[in-house]
Amino acid sequence: MLTAAAAVESGSEHPIARAIVRRAQDKGIKVPAIRDFEALPGAGAVATIKDTRVTVGRADLFDEVPAELATLERPGTTVFVGWDGVARGALTVADEIRETSGDAIRALRAEGLQVWLLSGDNEHNATTIAAQVGIDPEHVVADVRPQDKHDEIARLQDSGRVVAMVGDGINDAPALAEADVGLAIGTGTDIAIEAADVVLMSGSLTGVPNAIALSKATIGNIRQNLFWAFAYNTALIPVAAGALYPAYGILLSPVFAAGAMALSSVFVLGNALRLKTFKVQG
């Protein structure tokens, strides 16, 4: 089963596919060549090994799933392997939660943001993962396909929410493109990166609260600079034009006017450079 699954999944970039291939490599299995590979977004993949068309993925890709396979209850994602419409075996791929993921979720919630989990995994596994990282069970949407993720993002937007989507896989691309802000994990697939607005170079979720915090700091800096520029020019342009001369006989020398203008630019630039001191978390 592992040999057949690894052969088919060798043509895919999906994290589950990479895990299966890596397991086969760890066991020293020589993976056979495939042809006519076809990815089934949100479901699995199909390819031909020698003369057999092998399917790897969800149970609903098969016409028949034996009872001993259909009733498997193991922690993680169950991937079925078979051909001729019949599931012949199953593999389980378990998610390993990064230590920083829980911290990232708590940081987002501390900012008053709602955090949702959209997962193609079954409800049991999705809610288990959500509980471990601190996501409310009512904010878990499980067993969804790529189009379902897109539709869920659109539903949240229609309810008046501004939605940021974080993803790393091919299945996440439609939702990343639909979201108000799409954030792709830099270690993810090229398609997800192309569909996103922001690319987080590390594979850690701590990049999400860091990106939000840096964005807020940048907007605050821009507002400070605009206020300074308008206030400074509003005060000094009339003086340079001679507004104080009739009453006080004060004129602003062109030399001092040029210096004052330069000082304004230096202040704005210096304020902007303060962003270099921004400290990221994690």
Side-chain angles (χ1 to χ4, degrees):
M1 289 300 102
L2 182 57
T3 301
V8 173
E9 298 287 35
S10 65
S12 173
E13 292 184 328
H14 195 280
I16 289 179
R18 291 200 295 261
I20 292 174
V21 172
R22 187 165 58 248
R23 178 62 172 170
Q25 292 172 340
D26 291 343
K27 293 179 71 68
I29 293 174
K30 184 178 180 180
V31 178
I34 61 172
R35 65 177 191 275
D36 302 327
F37 172 83
E38 180 185 359
L40 307 174
V46 183
T48 300
I49 304 175
K50 294 184 179 180
D51 296 323
T52 303
R53 193 71 172 159
V54 178
T55 301
V56 180
R58 294 163 59 113
D60 54 15
L61 293 177
F62 301 91
D63 299 325
E64 180 184 343
V65 178
E68 60 268 27
L69 295 181
T71 57
L72 278 177
E73 290 188 7
R74 300 177 66 183
T77 301
T78 300
V79 179
F80 295 89
V81 186
W83 48 88
D84 297 331
V86 180
R88 313 282 178 167
L91 305 172
T92 299
V93 181
D95 290 310
E96 292 184 356
I97 301 176
R98 292 177 181 267
E99 294 180 0
T100 56
S101 296
D103 295 335
I105 299 300
R106 285 188 287 273
L108 291 172
R109 296 187 65 174
E111 291 289 330
L113 303 175
Q114 288 187 356
V115 182
W116 293 61
L117 174 64
L118 305 183
S119 174
D121 211 341
N122 63 63
E123 185 171 357
H124 172 73
N125 290 335
T127 52
T128 299
I129 295 295
Q132 293 178 19
V133 296
I135 298 177
D136 295 334
E138 61 268 23
H139 291 165
V140 176
V141 183
D143 205 25
V144 291
R145 301 208 175 189
Q147 183 60 42
D148 299 326
K149 292 183 179 181
H150 171 278
D151 294 344
E152 184 65 23
I153 296 293
R155 185 188 69 79
L156 291 171
Q157 290 172 323
D158 290 342
S159 67
R161 293 181 172 93
V162 176
V163 181
M165 166 71 185
V166 184
D168 65 351
I170 295 174
N171 299 339
D172 299 319
L176 286 168
E178 174 64 23
D180 295 286
V181 179
L183 299 99
I185 302 297
T187 54
T189 62
D190 291 340
I191 292 178
I193 291 173
E194 287 295 326
D197 303 296
V198 178
V199 179
L200 306 173
M201 299 310 295
S202 73
S204 173
L205 278 182
T206 54
V208 178
N210 282 335
I212 293 173
L214 179 57
S215 297
K216 289 182 176 180
T218 302
I219 292 297
N221 192 282
I222 291 172
R223 287 173 175 163
Q224 291 166 6
N225 288 341
L226 285 173
F227 173 80
W228 166 259
F230 277 112
Y232 190 85
N233 285 282
T234 299
L236 290 186
I237 286 177
V239 176
L244 298 179
Y245 183 77
Y248 304 102
I250 297 175
L251 285 174
L252 190 61
S253 166
V255 174
F256 286 109
M261 194 64 211
L263 179 63
S264 175
S265 299
V266 169
F267 181 89
V268 168
L269 180 60
N271 191 45
L273 288 174
R274 288 192 309 109
L275 290 172
K276 294 187 68 175
T277 63
F278 180 84
K279 302 295 184 182
V280 299
Q281 303 297 319

